[in-house]
Amino acid sequence: MTGPTVLGIESTCDETAAAVISGRDLVSNVVASSMDEHARYGGVIPEIASRAHAEAFIPVVSKALADAHMTIGDVDAIAVSAGPGLAGCLAVGVSGAKALAAAARKPIYGINHVIGHIAVTQLQFGDFPEDTLALIVSGGHTSLLHVTDVARHVDVVGTTLDDAAGECFDKVARLLGFPYPGGPHIDRHARLGDPHAVKVPQGLTQGRAGHDHPYDFSFSGVKTAVARWVEGRRAVGEDVPVDDVCASLAESVSTVLATKAIRGCLALGADTLIVGGGFSANSQLREKLVEVGSHNGVEVRIPRIALCTDNGAMVAMLGVNLVEAGIRPSAPDFPIDSAMPLTTISV
Ligand code: KG4
Ligand code: ZN
């Protein structure tokens, strides 16, 4: 299939990434990560990440074009993540993309990174069915969105009232002594443990709160319950069964996410659920979603891991959708927005 050729540029957090997509073909995809530089601080340090973007920007973008056997003159448009994300990081990618667009006289689209996580699934699974719900689970976001038209309109169906799922995993991981980011360590240990060993609450599922917030999430209570349990064991000098703690945490979080997302699909008549964001790499969540989805006749589309974590293809793909839909490019002075609302698709 042919279609517009778009260069996508990503710099919201600790990945500098660029990719070229022609229509639905991923022609190149380059990612440089500064994750290792943050590990010893236990979290992403914005100043270090911004500096890493400044260093990686030209090499990454040049490699994406070279791998595609193209020059900037060959692309129809440039797309860049304008938010949400770390302001200093966004500023590097957006400034670089603007300079490139001005020099090459190309249209530029400042896009919403989170909507990019939804858009990228088209590379693997094809275009969106008419009624699609999207579960976005990243370090910073846990949201359920109704995708009416990925280029023009999405609605927020539910969101976390406190911590994101990834954040909750990272905080428990820190308590257990795993390095940042802790999510993948919990995933690995959870595979070895008993998911019912520790009683962990399922936030916003019971009683009045569950009734009032059918599609919202809350993970801070889960985190606190696990922390209290671990501290209680340590206080009396008992060993902490790390695998069991991880398995119980993963069981609670994945069950709540999968149940609420599929319930949302049934209520809104959506027979497809798209899943995106770094936390969708979690194996317990992937299994649970497929299980609950198949029981309820909902097709669950979870991309391969390389497309779940931050990348340039997600930005390029949404750029292709915007060009195809005839959406006006962004103004040359478009701002970054570190708290960009999920309903803003492009600026
Ligand atoms: O989307 P993402 O790459 O960055 C943000 O935009 O936030 O998501 C990163 C989050 C981190 O919290 C990390 O711990 C989590 O995704 N994560 C995982 C796994 N892989 C990444 N959490 C649980 N299990 C995993 N396998
Ligand atoms: Zn992301």
Side-chain angles (χ1 to χ4, degrees):
M1 183 157 93
T2 54
T5 296
V6 175
L7 167 68
I9 298 172
E10 156 62 28
S11 74
T12 56
C13 189
D14 54 351
E15 272 92 25
T16 316
V20 176
I21 294 182
S22 282
R24 299 290 179 276
D25 291 334
L26 180 58
V27 193
S28 66
N29 191 25
V30 180
V31 181
S33 175
S34 63
M35 174 130 29
D36 293 347
E37 293 173 59
H38 308 287
R40 68 191 171 111
Y41 301 102
V44 174
I45 307 295
E47 285 290 313
I48 295 177
S50 305
R51 189 179 309 153
H53 288 305
E55 285 169 12
F57 183 89
I58 289 184
V60 165
V61 171
S62 304
K63 184 162 178 3
L65 288 168
D67 287 357
H69 305 291
M70 287 181 194
T71 66
I72 191 68
D74 298 319
V75 309
D76 296 309
I78 296 169
V80 60
S81 294
L86 299 168
C89 295
L90 290 165
V92 176
V94 166
S95 304
K98 281 181 176 176
L100 206 53
R105 297 177 187 278
K106 296 292 178 183
I108 182 167
Y109 291 86
I111 65 106
N112 187 321
H113 170 91
V114 175
I115 309 303
H117 276 301
I118 300 174
V120 77
T121 59
Q122 294 165 100
L123 287 176
Q124 201 173 326
F125 302 100
D127 290 2
F128 298 110
E130 201 167 311
D131 268 305
T132 296
L133 241 60
L135 175 67
I136 295 300
V137 276
S138 67
H141 284 90
T142 301
S143 302
L144 196 57
L145 306 173
H146 187 229
V147 186
T148 312
D149 175 345
V150 75
R152 293 193 179 86
H153 192 85
V154 297
D155 286 310
V156 179
V157 175
T159 192
T160 179
L161 304 185
D162 41 59
D163 290 358
E167 207 175 347
C168 167
F169 265 46
D170 290 341
K171 285 178 179 167
V172 172
R174 183 187 274 222
L175 178 81
L176 295 174
F178 299 134
Y180 178 86
H185 295 276
I186 301 230
D187 185 336
R188 197 160 35 80
H189 282 273
R191 283 177 227 162
L192 309 169
D194 172 3
H196 305 291
V198 182
K199 206 167 154 14
V200 178
Q202 300 192 337
L204 294 185
T205 52
Q206 305 294 319
R208 179 83 202 223
H211 179 267
D212 290 349
H213 296 277
Y215 313 118
D216 290 324
F217 306 95
S218 166
F219 295 111
S220 79
V222 178
K223 174 196 66 193
T224 308
V226 173
R228 287 226 180 95
W229 193 90
V230 169
E231 281 154 6
R233 295 283 287 223
R234 284 180 181 153
V236 295
E238 282 180 39
D239 282 345
V240 175
V242 171
D243 296 346
D244 290 347
V245 170
C246 293
S248 302
L249 171 69
E251 169 74 14
S252 163
V253 171
S254 62
T255 302
V256 173
L257 286 169
T259 321
K260 290 203 168 195
I262 299 294
R263 185 192 297 157
C265 290
L266 298 178
L268 294 163
D271 47 24
T272 310
L273 177 72
I274 299 288
V275 190
F279 191 84
S280 54
N282 178 258
S283 51
Q284 291 82 30
L285 177 63
R286 294 171 85 95
E287 271 167 34
K288 193 71 81 178
L289 279 166
V290 170
E291 178 194 316
V292 183
S294 71
H295 274 156
N296 291 281
V298 175
E299 185 202 345
V300 179
R301 297 182 171 184
I302 315 176
R304 57 181 185 267
I305 307 275
L307 297 181
C308 288
T309 46
D310 291 347
N311 61 78
M314 54 193 271
V315 184
M317 190 61 236
L318 183 52
V320 167
N321 291 138
L322 293 166
V323 174
E324 284 177 343
I327 304 290
R328 204 156 16 102
S330 304
D333 62 348
F334 76 85
I336 60 166
D337 183 354
S338 56
M340 189 179 285
L342 298 179
T343 47
T344 301
I345 295 169
S346 61
V347 294

